[in-house]
Amino acid sequence: MRTAVFVGALALAAVALTPSAAQAVRNPTPPPVVTDTTDPYNTGLSSETISYGSHRRQEMDVSWTPDGTDRPGVFLVHGGWWSSGDKKYMTSIARGYAEQGYTVFNLNYRLSGQAAWPAQRTDVLAAIALAKKHAARWAFDPKNFVVVGFSAGGHIAASVGTYGNGIAGLRGVVGLSPIISPLRAYSDGLATKDAYKRKLRASAVKLAGGCTPKGKCSRVWASMEVAWHASPKDAPMLTVHSQDEFVPPVQSQPLKQMLGQVGVPVTVLTVAGTAHSAPLYRDPAVLEAVQQWIAERIAQE
């Protein structure tokens, strides 16, 4: 038995979900199966691991306070080059939000070696749909939640934020070192000695199904570009980068510009150094800024 953990410049048209992907969002897995509800930290929280789809990676840990009060939600999306990583690496972060009183959904999703884009975005949408459907079970307010993503997970989270013309209840998106533009990453990784930038370029190609951004693959890459899907009802965003990391602050500038043009606020926070993703989040100043931004977004009606 698995033990549940506590989950502290071209203009191309957007690509719609395939019929099968759309079906996954409309019809998420009905009643979730409980794998465990233990509380090893004795915090008064409840926790369980549930499946939101049929693939083994379509799974999430849920932690909540079972006091009969509907609480805002935090969805966490781990990083890992789109091809690796696991929700277990988000355990302490998830537990921290749960202890603050949020209902927390710590997600796994299909990796790029298992399914090409937009499967990753589809999975997060399906997880959100399931959480809304069973909101009462987890004391979750489906009209009041944020999505927080790390690195490649930041790209997925931001893509959810600009999906369609807004998602009901989504109050904000936070990206820690988010790859907002895979096209920029592809270009930056072409002529560089930076091993991380070269790996990111290759990872973006893998996410696109193994094709480069030209010809028939242009539409896939267009779908991956977060800023190109800006619309007036999209979620406000906060992105955080280190000044000298391999996913630099310039990654977020097109998002700030294009969402700003339709009236959606984007805050780009830059700090000194090279820290990336979760290590960046653990900077006390960054942690405080992110948590304050989320609290302010959640508090707005």
Side-chain angles (χ1 to χ4, degrees):
M1 175 181 293
R2 293 166 298 177
T3 301
V5 296
F6 279 84
V7 295
L10 292 174
L12 298 178
V15 177
L17 290 175
T18 62
S20 59
Q23 183 74 8
V25 175
R26 289 197 302 268
N27 299 312
T29 305
V33 177
V34 179
T35 55
D36 202 341
T37 55
T38 57
D39 183 1
Y41 300 99
N42 193 30
T43 60
L45 298 171
S46 290
S47 179
E48 63 188 24
T49 299
I50 65 100
S51 297
Y52 61 84
S54 59
H55 193 278
R56 62 182 177 82
R57 288 283 306 184
Q58 292 172 316
E59 189 178 75
M60 61 183 173
D61 300 329
V62 188
S63 286
W64 72 100
T65 303
D67 61 358
T69 302
D70 289 345
R71 295 169 179 270
V74 175
F75 290 79
L76 296 176
V77 188
H78 70 78
W81 309 95
W82 300 287
S83 61
S84 61
D86 192 272
K87 57 185 171 62
K88 66 183 179 183
Y89 300 120
M90 296 287 101
T91 299
S92 62
I93 293 173
R95 187 168 67 247
Y97 282 109
E99 290 174 351
Q100 290 178 46
Y102 297 102
T103 294
V104 183
F105 303 88
N106 187 15
L107 279 61
N108 269 347
Y109 51 87
R110 286 171 292 172
L111 302 174
S112 58
Q114 299 161 336
W117 184 263
Q120 296 71 31
R121 180 182 62 193
T122 299
D123 284 357
V124 176
L125 291 170
I128 292 172
L130 183 69
K132 288 182 174 182
K133 183 175 182 180
H134 300 285
R137 177 187 186 92
W138 299 308
F140 167 50
D141 178 0
K143 298 179 181 180
N144 202 3
F145 63 92
V146 298
V147 180
V148 182
F150 296 75
S151 191
H155 168 256
I156 299 167
S159 296
V160 168
T162 59
Y163 179 74
N165 190 21
I167 295 175
L170 179 56
R171 298 295 185 85
V173 172
V174 178
L176 282 303
S177 304
I179 300 119
I180 298 298
S181 174
L183 276 173
R184 173 105 194 190
Y186 179 84
S187 176
D188 287 350
L190 178 60
T192 178
K193 295 181 179 180
D194 189 317
Y196 288 122
K197 289 186 177 182
R198 293 199 304 269
K199 182 175 180 178
L200 186 57
R201 172 188 166 94
S203 297
V205 171
K206 186 174 182 179
L207 179 66
C211 64
T212 57
K214 58 184 178 181
K216 65 180 181 180
C217 288
S218 296
R219 287 179 60 83
V220 176
W221 283 81
S223 177
M224 289 159 51
E225 288 294 296
V226 177
W228 291 5
H229 306 284
S231 57
K233 294 184 179 180
D234 287 341
M237 298 196 194
L238 167 67
T239 68
V240 189
H241 299 266
S242 292
Q243 183 64 52
D244 299 313
E245 65 164 305
F246 68 96
V247 183
V250 70
Q251 273 273 346
S252 288
Q253 291 305 318
L255 182 67
K256 183 178 179 67
Q257 178 183 358
M258 297 188 77
L259 277 177
Q261 289 176 358
V262 295
V264 178
V266 175
T267 300
V268 181
L269 176 62
T270 302
V271 299
T274 61
H276 174 77
S277 190
L280 172 60
Y281 177 80
R282 287 193 288 268
D283 180 306
V286 171
L287 178 62
E288 181 180 0
V290 169
Q291 292 186 351
Q292 180 177 345
W293 189 89
I294 290 174
E296 291 172 352
R297 293 303 312 164
I298 289 293
Q300 295 183 19
E301 294 296 335

